[in-house]
Amino acid sequence: MSRIKRMLLALSLAVFAAFVVAACGDDEGDSGGDGGSDGGYEIALLTGDNHDPFFITMNAGAQEKAEELGVNVEWQGPAKYEPAEQIKVLNSVMQQDPDFLLTAPTDVNALSQPLKQVSDGDTPIITVDTDVAATEVRLGNITSDNELGGKVAAEYIAEKIGGKGKVLLINQAPGISTLDARQKGFEQELKKHPDIEYLGVEYTQDDPNKTAAAVGAALQKDPDLKGIFAVDTLTAEGVATGIANANKADQIVAVGFD
């Protein structure tokens, strides 16, 4: 990770940690739990899964800031990045009555109602990275400029392939706010390059093995494929494997975002 990226990540984590503590200490509302009596607030961090390197990094930053602020952050996530599995973990987390919930929703629609139930129960919420369609259920969202990220990826690929050739996008699944935005930015930028043939999007459920197989199939169909954009960590891992398996590392420009 570059120095600039580390600084941005640290700044983002500091902002949301400070925001959480301020919200927990708001005298005008009941934040739930009993942490307010001694300031040792209990903060739940619920991510999309419990193993993605991005979420591991997010938790590491949250734990560092929590220690500095004298609060407790408990990190949980499902084994699979699926709305139904995340909702099960959410229900379990809320049985512990945390003072605050930080969460990366796995689907813009499927998590809206479950998070509304949490906020209706007076537990404040901030969404981190991903978001929900019902934005009124949370106090705010902290994320990257994902459309810009997709745009930059398209610009980079276009430059490296000389502005012409076939390009593919690999996504996890529709309905994930950050990934939808990255795809949107990528596709909008490609429209500015009429000599680039966009082959569309392949959804591979964030499975590196499925992604590698999809890349292999794409190369069988279009052996002159020039560029691939992978919208998150595990799809990028699968893209790299697929390219390596096909011995195309010197022929394809691959970009991953997370």
Side-chain angles (χ1 to χ4, degrees):
M1 185 182 291
S2 71
R3 180 173 179 270
I4 291 175
K5 287 182 179 178
R6 288 197 301 269
M7 291 171 64
L8 289 173
L9 177 62
L11 177 60
S12 297
L13 291 167
V15 168
F16 87 60
F19 193 94
V20 168
V21 173
C24 285
D26 186 352
D27 291 334
E28 295 180 0
D30 179 7
S31 62
D34 59 3
S37 61
D38 60 4
Y41 298 110
E42 295 292 328
I43 300 169
L45 173 60
L46 172 62
T47 54
D49 63 40
N50 60 12
H51 56 82
D52 189 296
F54 175 75
F55 295 134
I56 292 171
T57 303
M58 180 185 289
N59 177 56
Q63 296 299 336
E64 182 176 341
K65 180 56 66 171
E67 182 176 357
E68 177 184 329
L69 296 172
V71 300
N72 185 54
V73 173
E74 289 291 334
W75 174 39
Q76 293 193 53
K80 296 183 68 175
Y81 194 104
E82 292 180 353
E85 295 303 310
Q86 190 181 36
I87 290 169
K88 290 179 184 177
V89 179
L90 173 64
N91 292 335
S92 175
V93 166
M94 295 315 298
Q95 291 294 317
Q96 305 304 313
D97 197 22
D99 295 295
F100 207 100
L101 175 66
L102 300 170
T103 186
T106 51
D107 187 277
V108 292
N109 295 311
L111 270 292
S112 286
Q113 184 58 34
L115 290 180
K116 183 179 185 302
Q117 293 175 354
V118 171
S119 63
D120 285 349
D122 292 328
T123 301
I125 301 168
I126 289 179
T127 54
V128 290
D129 187 41
T130 49
D131 204 3
V132 285
T135 56
E136 68 276 5
V137 307
R138 45 65 164 176
L139 296 176
N141 170 248
I142 298 173
T143 190
S144 308
D145 188 334
N146 293 285
E147 277 193 40
L148 177 60
K151 175 180 180 293
V152 170
E155 289 176 337
Y156 181 83
I157 290 175
E159 177 186 350
K160 292 298 181 181
I161 67 175
K164 58 184 178 181
K166 297 178 180 179
V167 172
L168 177 69
L169 186 146
I170 304 288
N171 200 339
Q172 177 178 339
I176 302 169
S177 63
T178 52
L179 308 191
D180 289 347
R182 292 168 199 175
Q183 179 175 333
K184 179 181 178 181
F186 185 80
E187 292 174 343
Q188 287 181 338
E189 178 61 26
L190 284 187
K191 292 177 182 178
K192 301 176 184 178
H193 303 274
D195 293 328
I196 291 180
E197 181 182 349
Y198 179 44
L199 300 179
V201 56
E202 291 278 351
Y203 292 108
T204 58
Q205 288 74 54
D206 214 29
D207 185 321
N209 294 324
K210 288 182 180 179
T211 302
V215 169
L219 287 169
Q220 287 288 329
K221 182 180 178 182
D222 293 284
D224 55 344
L225 179 65
K226 293 286 190 69
I228 304 176
F229 176 41
V231 299
D232 72 352
T233 303
L234 296 179
T235 55
E237 179 184 324
V239 165
T241 300
I243 292 172
N245 289 344
N247 295 313
K248 296 273 190 176
D250 59 343
Q251 300 176 42
I252 298 174
V253 177
V255 174
F257 184 118
D258 218 340

